[in-house]
Amino acid sequence: MWKTVARRLLILIPQLLALSLVIFFFASLMPGDPFGGLMFEPDFTLDDIEALREALGLNRHWVVRYVEWLRNVIVGDLGRSLVHARPVVDVIGERAGNTLRLSLLSLVFIYIIAIPLGIVAGRRKDTFVDKAIVFYTFFALAMPTVIFAVINLWIFSFRLRWFPFIGSVDVRYIPGTLDFHLSRLRHLILPALTAALLGTVGIINFLRTMIIDSESSDFVTTARSKGVPERVIYNKHILKNASLPIVAGFGPAIAGLIGGNIFIEMIFSFPGMGGLFVSSIQTRDWPVANGLILIFAIATVIGILLGDLFMMILDPRIRIR
Amino acid sequence: MDKVSEPMEKINAPSPLRVIWRELYNDKLALFCLFLFIVIVGTAFIGAAIIDAGETLNQNLSIRNNPPGDGFLLGTDIAGRPILQMLIIGARNSLIISILVAFFASVIGIVFGLVAGFYGGKVDDILMRILDFLTIIPTLMFTIVMIVLLEGTVLNFGLVLVAFAWLGTARFMRMMTLQQGAMDYVKASKTLGTRNIVIIFREVVPNIVPAMTMMLTLTVASTMGIETGLTIIGFGLPPDTPTLGIMISRALNPLAMTSRPWQWAPAALLILAMVLCINYVGQAIGRASDARRRRV
């Protein structure tokens, strides 16, 4: 098993290398840098700007800059932000907490919503409840994230005034107090719920199909003929089988949430990594944008790998391969 | 003896399009969605041809923020542009872009999937590694980077969307082709010495037409969603190409959202109606692609 993991991690290295090379190449094609606008500032002359570019090494060929960037990345240094004049790691780190909290809460909501619905739909196949749940999964799959977010923003923030529509915490509270954490949670709920309601489809469909298929499988027939109570058949036999892939879905799900929250963070004006990415692109702050893309790519691959690893640990049949 | 030598009566399998139509015809909701979608498309294209786009897009500050009724059926936006006409032109633009992007993405994805799935072996290995590499790319971020990079035209915007929209189709078509390739009819053809290209296009493709159609429709819907999303967060089409997303993004501030819902709600609902209809029809077509899931 560890051989597989090692091999997967080894494949990861050329993949990330190629990816960062592509990013750097694109960034080098981009016209402009954050300093172009400085020429209108009274304190800057054109020579000052040129000196700034020279000092930051922006005038060198992109390959040279790439090699240097790479050398730094290996020791965990993503460079300095051109706009914030601080290390990229710090700039991203400030936002990472928010995005991580948002993703985790979304994930919790996904499991809370999806597991009961999936079980009910499977057990009450073809009833009204089942049809309603299947219809919901259709909506969740088809709904464009932005539109759903805008509609939720309007209903729950502006009409009902239940949730705040901007930021990640109320500015009036002092960090560390209970009020501060409650306010933070309140800011998280609506964006997290929006992401979660659209993210349940996979688990619901999986559970439903699993239960329906199990109904006609031998182990359930055997259990029934032995007189095992229906409740025990579901809890001990069917759901135990289904629980593995659901747990293993955790990895890819969290990776997808971290990477896929740009739209949600933008609509809810939530200060996370997605919003940071958008603003860094708008201000041509390439070190930050590069760093974020790299982090998201790593998160995606590690998420998928973790999921597979879970399956290998839990399911002996996969381990043998 | 006579009886045996007589050719067996050939039972014609229903054509793929017939199978799709039968499935749609028996699902009244899907039929309704198809009808609604056709009505929207018709209105958008015919309406946009009649409307004077220049006049519609002209800013007229004396009539800004008019509520619905009173000369303007659906009111006016922040710069005095009539909402109804904007909706029609915007819907047409959104539709053209989504359909074209989905078409080209599907062609790439289908060819890629067919080649990888049918030839297998080395070819498949190489193609799948390419696909794996593209899959770990944070797609949305890369799309944004490339849009900023290729700033400007509608064509560039479309090309960037195509660049990532074909991945899902390629994976799905490869899986479908693998399934078909393992079937006896393909093996029989191979044994008879039929050329691969003939097997692919004359024998495999007709069997997966419903699946292809489904992927095409679903790609249209998802492209529409992504186009709207990108436009709303500020990386969309150039502002002189009005789409439904631009209408929403202009009204995406607390004041406009609460006090002037007519400026964004119709656009949001129109996108929603189109996306849901396309998806529902697409899923019905998807059922037609799998004999076990067909309802008729």
Side-chain angles (χ1 to χ4, degrees):
Chain A
M1 181 177 84
W2 295 111
K3 224 167 158 183
T4 324
V5 176
R7 210 187 53 201
R8 291 277 293 276
L9 283 174
L10 280 179
I11 298 175
L12 178 61
I13 295 168
Q15 275 186 336
L16 289 177
L17 274 179
L19 184 66
S20 59
L21 197 64
V22 173
I23 302 167
F24 244 86
F25 174 65
F26 278 138
S28 74
L29 292 179
M30 278 296 298
D33 59 38
F35 310 124
L38 288 180
M39 71 170 116
F40 303 110
E41 293 273 346
D43 296 347
F44 283 87
T45 63
L46 280 178
D47 290 337
D48 288 340
I49 297 173
E50 206 43 47
L52 202 56
R53 286 187 181 134
E54 195 61 49
L56 287 163
L58 293 180
N59 288 336
R60 288 172 300 162
H61 194 258
W62 68 273
V63 177
V64 180
R65 278 185 286 142
Y66 176 68
V67 172
E68 191 192 302
W69 181 78
L70 201 61
R71 211 182 290 149
N72 290 332
V73 166
I74 292 169
V75 293
D77 176 9
L78 291 171
R80 280 173 74 82
S81 159
L82 299 177
V83 171
H84 304 278
R86 283 189 302 145
V88 171
V89 181
D90 292 356
V91 176
I92 295 178
E94 249 164 39
R95 302 291 197 93
N98 279 338
T99 295
L100 217 57
R101 274 187 288 272
L102 179 61
S103 306
L104 279 175
L105 191 65
S106 307
L107 202 62
V108 171
F109 281 142
I110 287 180
Y111 281 112
I112 291 179
I113 299 167
I115 292 176
L117 288 189
I119 293 173
V120 169
R123 286 189 68 161
R124 312 245 169 100
K125 188 184 171 232
D126 290 336
T127 61
F128 176 73
V129 185
D130 174 39
K131 283 186 183 135
I133 293 173
V134 170
F135 205 69
Y136 156 68
T137 60
F138 160 71
F139 260 93
L141 199 66
M143 182 76 76
T145 314
V146 258
I147 301 287
F148 192 54
V150 168
I151 293 173
N152 281 347
L153 183 72
W154 184 67
I155 296 178
F156 296 104
S157 287
F158 289 132
R159 287 273 111 180
L160 299 173
R161 307 181 72 86
W162 286 355
F163 300 105
F165 58 82
I166 195 164
S168 66
V169 69
D170 194 320
V171 287
R172 285 169 301 180
Y173 296 119
I174 302 148
T177 57
L178 180 66
D179 282 341
F180 181 83
H181 289 293
L182 284 179
S183 156
R184 191 176 242 174
L185 185 65
R186 202 156 154 249
H187 281 78
L188 278 176
I189 289 176
L190 191 56
L193 209 55
T194 305
L197 281 170
L198 299 180
T200 51
V201 182
I203 295 179
I204 294 182
N205 280 345
F206 170 79
L207 266 177
R208 183 175 177 273
T209 323
M210 177 85 191
I211 290 172
I212 292 172
D213 286 351
S214 301
E215 285 286 348
S216 55
S217 68
D218 290 342
F219 74 95
V220 172
T221 316
T222 314
R224 283 225 171 92
S225 60
K226 283 194 302 185
V228 179
E230 208 56 17
R231 186 176 48 80
V232 179
I233 292 181
Y234 275 103
N235 290 343
K236 284 252 156 115
H237 295 237
I238 296 181
L239 291 183
K240 212 170 176 182
N241 263 330
S243 61
L244 297 186
I246 288 181
V247 174
F250 167 82
I254 191 107
L257 282 171
I258 291 177
N261 272 343
I262 295 183
F263 285 145
I264 296 216
E265 287 185 5
M266 288 302 289
I267 300 286
F268 291 103
S269 313
F270 185 82
M273 288 154 81
L276 179 65
F277 177 75
V278 169
S279 65
S280 68
I281 290 284
Q282 277 161 348
T283 54
R284 309 285 187 262
D285 193 355
W286 285 104
V288 175
N290 278 351
L292 282 169
I293 295 182
L294 194 70
I295 290 173
F296 283 128
I298 293 175
T300 311
V301 182
I302 292 191
I304 295 171
L305 189 65
L306 272 183
D308 290 355
L309 206 62
F310 251 75
M311 286 298 285
M312 280 193 275
I313 293 169
L314 297 171
D315 190 337
R317 283 171 306 181
I318 301 174
R319 214 177 315 157
I320 291 166
R321 279 199 289 125
Chain B
M1 207 52 198
D2 273 326
K3 274 246 155 76
V4 178
S5 61
E6 239 172 64
M8 275 205 307
E9 192 194 346
K10 193 174 172 221
I11 302 169
N12 274 323
S15 82
L17 291 177
R18 233 192 130 69
V19 175
I20 293 175
W21 171 246
R22 210 164 53 187
E23 189 66 32
L24 283 180
Y25 187 77
N26 281 283
D27 185 342
K28 291 299 175 232
L29 189 54
L31 210 57
F32 171 74
C33 284
L34 185 65
F35 173 72
L36 184 61
F37 183 64
I38 290 172
V39 169
I40 293 175
V41 173
T43 317
F45 278 83
I46 296 170
I50 298 170
I51 293 168
D52 180 354
E55 195 184 319
T56 302
L57 299 178
N58 258 344
Q59 306 196 359
N60 184 350
L61 298 185
S62 62
I63 50 165
R64 59 200 295 244
N65 296 333
N66 271 16
D70 201 31
F72 298 100
L73 202 53
L74 292 176
T76 57
D77 75 355
I78 188 132
R81 289 168 287 227
I83 297 288
L84 179 65
Q85 281 89 322
M86 291 275 288
L87 273 181
I88 291 175
I89 296 179
R92 185 204 49 183
N93 289 344
S94 295
L95 276 166
I96 292 180
I97 290 158
S98 309
I99 291 173
L100 284 180
V101 166
F103 176 77
F104 287 110
S106 297
V107 170
I108 299 174
I110 288 167
V111 171
F112 196 98
L114 276 174
V115 171
F118 189 82
Y119 288 99
K122 272 247 153 52
V123 179
D124 187 32
D125 271 349
I126 294 169
L127 291 181
M128 284 316 282
R129 288 298 84 74
I130 296 175
L131 208 57
D132 281 347
F133 172 65
L134 290 172
T135 313
I136 68 151
I137 289 181
T139 319
L140 190 55
M141 299 181 130
F142 241 74
T143 310
I144 292 175
V145 170
M146 286 169 76
I147 285 170
V148 173
L149 190 71
L150 301 170
E151 219 157 8
T153 65
V154 179
L155 178 69
N156 284 342
F157 182 82
L159 286 177
V160 173
L161 290 192
V162 170
F164 292 106
W166 61 275
L167 300 177
T169 308
R171 229 169 249 286
F172 184 72
M173 290 324 293
R174 172 177 174 271
M175 194 191 75
M176 293 298 289
T177 315
L178 276 178
Q179 276 175 10
Q180 295 292 328
M183 288 194 179
D184 287 340
Y185 77 92
V186 173
K187 284 186 195 146
S189 281
K190 275 186 179 162
T191 319
L192 287 171
T194 319
R195 280 165 52 219
N196 279 335
I197 197 100
V198 178
I199 302 181
I200 293 179
F201 285 103
R202 293 268 305 274
E203 301 182 10
V204 175
V205 167
N207 280 304
I208 53 180
V209 162
M212 293 200 269
T213 324
M214 174 190 74
M215 288 312 283
L216 178 70
T217 52
L218 296 186
T219 313
V220 173
S222 63
T223 306
M224 203 174 273
I226 290 173
E227 183 265 306
T228 312
L230 287 170
T231 308
I232 289 178
I233 65 172
F235 296 102
L237 288 156
D240 57 340
T241 314
T243 60
L244 297 172
I246 289 180
M247 299 179 69
I248 300 175
S249 74
R250 281 196 187 122
L252 202 64
N253 57 71
L255 185 65
M257 278 205 78
T258 46
S259 60
R260 303 192 291 268
W262 69 87
Q263 290 182 342
W264 61 271
L269 291 178
L270 188 56
I271 293 173
L272 206 55
M274 287 198 283
V275 169
L276 291 180
C277 281
I278 301 171
N279 259 297
Y280 199 82
V281 173
Q283 293 204 348
I285 296 173
R287 282 200 306 274
S289 72
D290 182 351
R292 279 164 307 176
R293 283 163 59 221
R294 276 178 212 157
R295 292 188 183 167
V296 276

